[in-house]
Amino acid sequence: MKVVAAILAAGQGSRFGSDKTRLLLRGRPVWEWSYRTYLGTPAIDRVILVGSAGNIDELSSAGEAIVGGATRQQSSRLALEAAEGAEIVLMHDAARPFVTSELIERVLDAVWMHGAAAAAVPVTDTIKRMCEDRVETLDRRELWAMQTPQGARTELLHEAFARARADLTDEMALLEAIGVNPRLVTGDSSNFKITTPEDLVRAQVFAGQGEVRTGIGYDIHAFSTDTNRKLMLGGVTFEGSPGLEGHSDADVLLHAVTDAVLGAAALGDIGQHFPNTAPEWRGAPSLTFLRYAGELVVREGWQVVNIDATVICESPKVMPRSQEIRENIASALGLDVSRVSVKATTNEGLGSLGRGEGISAFSVASLSR
């Protein structure tokens, strides 16, 4: 084994308030993001997960794992001991989920050449040091913010740990204490550390959890010969018009909107959730279906952003009732009415819709999380 990487996930997240490495980003724990990257980096021969008593079972189910110590230095030392036979050991903070293989390999190349190296980024803010009542401005051109990976040849690391007289915050500080001059490799702004809840929000966006999805819904119903059926469009009754054929109230507009909402979140369609073979849905108001779809996507972590829908029919005239329809849809989905658009058009006398045999509707729903 030439190169061993250790993913350090034994911290308690005292500044964050909990073990942040176990929080989920797009369904995967934070630690797993960097772990997979190291596993997929050709230059890495072996990856060790270093956990705590609270997460060791979870880590062990993924791969080789050991229990770390109470501090970063203790965990790194235990990782070094577990990396027997390695020529180089890289340490990586599991709270940095977005490290890239390219950065890992650049740090590793520098270790091969110089014995020790770490990823770091130049400081861009003005930094001041306060000593009692005296403030001093530091030259930011000389300042770098440390990242991981940090690594060195194993003989240097063994010597640094053996001679350590204080608990230091990273491996490079240990090496500096014994006279080693590590090389700094320019890191990546995306390789940030999750330290605060605000960092987690940033990570969620970076991981694509801030994504926006679009769903499309379509439905069509023929006019019914049953004179007792009422025409329902968008939860509004249109008196004087024949009703539509269907198992529920056949509200073609709400069916299209419901399918658009479900489709955006990949949660099936209205027929799967409310089959027309189920007697309990006979004559049911379609607003029930739309409310259900809205609640379902919220439980899945989505938020409906807006709805746009179009009704296609020769009659009745829909637009005079569009405000009522918009309010019904908005209420069912918990939206401001300004986020709901309803339009209507004819089929210009073409086809079955143009002959007045039925009504169809299209809808688009945008969801975000």
Side-chain angles (χ1 to χ4, degrees):
M1 295 290 181
K2 288 187 175 182
V3 180
V4 174
I7 311 298
L8 306 176
Q12 300 302 309
S14 56
R15 283 178 290 178
F16 188 87
S18 63
D19 183 359
K20 60 210 171 191
T21 67
R22 302 181 75 181
L23 299 173
L24 299 182
L25 294 176
R26 294 188 67 182
R28 289 193 280 138
V30 168
W31 63 262
E32 188 177 331
W33 286 72
S34 57
Y35 177 60
R36 288 193 183 188
T37 300
Y38 277 88
L39 285 178
T41 301
I44 303 298
D45 299 299
R46 179 180 163 204
V47 184
I48 301 172
L49 288 160
V50 183
S52 64
N55 65 13
I56 191 63
D57 290 342
E58 178 183 340
L59 301 182
S60 297
S61 67
E64 182 181 359
I66 64 171
V67 176
T71 66
R72 160 79 173 260
Q73 185 168 312
Q74 291 173 14
S75 292
S76 296
R77 179 179 57 79
L78 291 168
L80 178 64
E81 292 173 0
E84 184 178 355
E87 293 182 57
I88 289 175
V89 175
L90 297 181
M91 305 292 182
H92 185 79
D93 192 331
R96 295 184 186 271
F98 305 119
V99 66
T100 64
S101 291
E102 189 270 340
L103 178 57
I104 294 168
E105 291 179 344
R106 285 197 289 115
V107 171
L108 184 56
D109 287 344
V111 175
W112 283 118
M113 292 180 64
H114 305 288
V121 291
V123 170
T124 57
D125 293 329
T126 296
I127 304 296
K128 295 183 183 291
R129 177 168 53 199
M130 178 176 286
C131 299
E132 296 180 353
D133 59 347
R134 183 171 176 269
V135 175
E136 178 185 357
T137 301
L138 304 181
D139 187 350
R140 67 185 180 191
R141 293 173 298 179
E142 300 176 350
L143 301 177
W144 289 67
M146 298 304 295
Q147 296 185 336
T148 56
Q150 298 188 11
R153 292 185 179 274
T154 51
E155 63 269 21
L156 292 177
L157 287 171
H158 279 296
E159 182 181 356
F161 280 110
R163 293 171 56 185
R165 295 295 177 264
D167 194 75
L168 302 177
T169 57
D170 70 1
E171 293 70 45
M172 297 303 98
L174 283 168
L175 291 164
E176 292 161 20
I178 63 169
V180 174
N181 182 28
R183 292 301 175 100
L184 297 185
V185 174
T186 302
D188 192 333
S189 61
S190 64
N191 186 31
F192 61 89
K193 182 179 180 181
I194 300 174
T195 303
T196 67
E198 291 76 16
D199 295 327
L200 178 62
V201 173
R202 181 184 175 194
Q204 289 170 335
V205 173
F206 199 87
Q209 252 172 261
E211 68 182 311
V212 175
R213 289 191 187 178
T214 301
I216 299 174
Y218 171 76
D219 199 20
I220 185 170
H221 287 272
F223 283 116
S224 175
T225 57
D226 183 351
T227 57
N228 292 320
R229 286 189 69 87
K230 295 182 180 296
L231 176 61
M232 301 296 298
L233 291 174
V236 173
T237 304
F238 283 75
E239 301 288 352
S241 296
L244 295 170
E245 196 62 50
H247 186 66
S248 63
D249 64 2
D251 191 323
V252 65
L253 174 56
L254 292 186
H255 291 184
V257 174
T258 300
D259 264 352
V261 171
L262 292 171
L267 293 173
D269 64 17
I270 194 170
Q272 292 175 271
H273 295 276
F274 302 98
N276 59 13
T277 55
E280 63 266 30
W281 307 124
R282 182 176 297 281
S286 296
L287 280 171
T288 300
F289 307 157
L290 184 57
R291 289 191 191 97
Y292 169 86
E295 293 167 358
L296 181 60
V297 297
V298 168
R299 289 200 298 272
E300 293 294 320
W302 295 98
Q303 177 179 342
V304 181
V305 176
N306 77 293
I307 299 293
D308 186 21
T310 300
V311 180
I312 305 170
C313 63
E314 300 300 311
S315 67
K317 298 293 184 182
V318 175
M319 291 309 291
R321 311 288 300 276
S322 63
Q323 183 63 25
E324 296 172 69
I325 294 172
R326 292 173 62 209
E327 290 172 356
N328 284 342
I329 295 173
S331 176
L333 295 175
L335 296 176
D336 187 276
V337 71
S338 65
R339 293 182 178 271
V340 178
S341 169
V342 172
K343 308 182 297 296
T345 187
T346 69
N347 220 40
E348 299 294 337
L350 300 176
S352 59
L353 294 178
R355 293 191 297 270
E357 297 176 11
I359 299 176
S360 71
F362 287 91
S363 180
V364 175
S366 294
L367 273 60
S368 70
R369 71 174 175 186

